[in-house]
Amino acid sequence: MVPGSLPPVVLYHYEASPIARKVRNILAVKRIPHVRVEMPMTLPRPDLADRLGITYRRIPVLAIGRDVYCDSSLIASVLERRFPASDGFGTLFPKRKGSDRTDAAIIKQYTMSYADRVLGTVASFLLPYHKFKPEFLADRTAWFGQKLDPSAMQARQPLGKSWLSSHLALLEEQFADGREWLFDTETPSLADLSVHYVWEWLASFKPMQPAAKELLDATVFPATVSWISRMTEHTVKAHTAHKFSIQTVSGERAAEIITSSAFEDLSGIGFDETEGTRLGVQLSQLVSVTPDDNGKVPTVGRLLALNKEQVVIETEGSAGTVRCHFPRIYYVVQPAASAKL
């Protein structure tokens, strides 16, 4: 299924998810063969919760071998490490033009704290909540931890457009020196992929297209609109070139692929005693890992590794045990006994 000695890669996604769009683009740009499992837009998701013991409710989720990675920020970093450019894969952290530096750290920070959590959130203001079915609204009410009022969300759309216009102005300022990509890199970086998918999502989702057409005015933001076109062309070419390597499989088959694969060596992650003390957790202890902003459904498992980048726990489902990885930033790790389930 996957050539050579590469571990199998499995993407759990659904087509309409904007973050899943970003990860699909990352996989295409990096030229990574993988299989996909189509997830429902709302809970329950038994292919993750029941088969693998992963109750994390966000999509996408990506497995590499028997290790499962949550949150697109960690997914991107791990894909870059495990499928490096030195082995013939694409890169998310190209060198700056005229330099040997990659600015990987600031690009990761920009992506994690701005593109996904700020820009993506403001863009979601333009969703047509008044047209969604009650079951979807109920699911997203649980997601946000407060009741969604479609009328109130509709009333916020002018504010959302105004804020997005200001974000476009910042992008236009960044491109004012004639650079081709956001961080003046040789090729698009993770920053380009992570900001572009928001505008691509707005322009491709039919109910949001009028707002996108209004905002993406080439007479007001010429450099930014030109960059969006370049990025769209870049990702389309990447998908077209590597479409042959993608298959869609059932959740049952995906679980078989994952649980019959090898675990990643965790020695490179280890256990940071200082961080463990700060968090009040120890190796082999049952802990919970929960997002700190929304979708606050804890995943519980035995603590296997912890450093400043990620935390790894062992979870068990009907298909067997897996190792579930989460970022440290924006996630709460605590003993399971004190977790608020």
Side-chain angles (χ1 to χ4, degrees):
M1 181 172 296
V2 178
S5 59
L6 297 176
V9 177
V10 180
L11 174 66
Y12 290 84
H13 77 134
Y14 60 85
E15 195 65 31
S17 164
I19 302 290
R21 178 189 296 266
K22 167 188 167 182
V23 173
R24 291 193 299 266
N25 287 345
I26 287 171
L27 288 165
V29 167
K30 284 197 63 65
R31 303 189 291 275
I32 297 175
H34 61 283
V35 300
R36 296 176 179 177
V37 185
E38 187 70 25
M39 292 281 98
M41 292 180 65
T42 59
L43 296 181
R45 296 189 179 115
D47 288 327
L48 288 170
D50 297 345
R51 297 186 194 279
L52 303 179
I54 298 172
T55 50
Y56 176 74
R57 67 153 297 160
R58 295 176 172 178
I59 293 294
V61 168
L62 185 102
I64 305 175
R66 205 165 175 174
D67 291 80
V68 181
Y69 299 89
C70 300
D71 197 288
S72 65
S73 63
L74 181 60
I75 288 170
S77 294
V78 171
L79 286 174
E80 186 75 1
R81 173 172 58 80
R82 298 192 65 175
F83 298 88
S86 59
D87 287 350
F89 296 98
T91 182
L92 302 178
F93 304 104
K95 294 177 182 178
R96 287 197 324 232
K97 289 181 179 179
S99 172
D100 288 332
R101 292 183 60 85
T102 65
D103 285 336
I106 194 66
I107 286 173
K108 290 177 185 178
Q109 186 180 55
Y110 177 86
T111 294
M112 185 186 306
S113 298
Y114 171 70
D116 292 342
R117 282 172 173 77
V118 176
L119 187 59
T121 297
V122 177
S124 71
F125 287 9
L126 304 189
L127 283 167
Y129 286 96
H130 61 293
K131 295 183 179 180
F132 290 145
K133 294 180 179 179
E135 52 266 34
F136 180 85
L137 293 175
D139 181 85
R140 291 313 191 258
T141 289
W143 167 281
F144 290 112
Q146 60 183 24
K147 186 173 178 59
L148 281 182
D149 181 344
S151 297
M153 297 300 290
Q154 185 77 4
R156 293 194 76 187
Q157 289 197 355
L159 174 62
K161 290 179 185 179
S162 181
W163 283 355
L164 287 171
S165 182
S166 292
H167 285 295
L168 283 168
L170 288 174
L171 285 172
E172 191 70 13
E173 182 179 345
Q174 183 73 352
F175 288 112
D177 60 1
R179 68 182 61 200
E180 189 176 14
W181 310 114
L182 267 173
F183 279 76
D184 202 23
T185 46
E186 294 175 347
T187 56
S189 73
L190 178 63
D192 295 278
L193 289 162
S194 299
V195 175
H196 170 257
Y197 86 86
V198 177
W199 302 107
E200 183 186 46
W201 174 53
L202 283 174
S204 64
F205 187 35
K206 191 172 182 179
M208 302 164 83
Q209 285 175 348
K213 186 176 181 179
E214 174 189 337
L215 288 163
L216 300 176
D217 186 340
T219 64
V220 180
F221 306 113
T224 302
V225 171
S226 178
W227 165 76
I228 292 171
S229 296
R230 286 196 302 276
M231 278 302 302
T232 298
E233 181 180 2
H234 183 80
T235 56
V236 168
K237 283 184 177 179
H239 282 285
T240 301
H242 304 288
K243 191 174 183 179
F244 69 90
S245 63
I246 299 167
Q247 302 175 42
T248 297
V249 299
S250 68
E252 180 180 12
R253 176 60 184 139
E256 291 173 355
I257 293 170
I258 294 167
T259 56
S260 63
S261 300
F263 288 117
E264 181 186 16
D265 181 4
L266 295 181
S267 61
I269 303 173
F271 183 75
D272 187 319
E273 295 283 354
T274 300
E275 297 303 318
T277 298
R278 286 169 174 162
L279 298 170
V281 297
Q282 300 176 348
L283 279 178
S284 298
Q285 182 180 9
L286 201 64
V287 301
S288 72
V289 185
T290 312
D292 79 333
D293 49 0
N294 50 49
K296 295 183 180 182
V297 177
T299 298
V300 176
R302 186 168 61 90
L303 181 60
L304 301 179
L306 174 80
N307 64 10
K308 290 179 174 60
E309 180 191 24
Q310 61 178 293
V311 55
V312 188
I313 62 175
E314 180 184 78
T315 65
E316 184 172 3
S318 61
T321 59
V322 298
R323 290 175 177 170
C324 193
H325 301 239
F326 294 89
R328 285 292 317 286
I329 296 176
Y330 300 124
Y331 284 78
V332 177
V333 183
Q334 60 185 354
S338 64
K340 295 181 180 180
L341 302 178

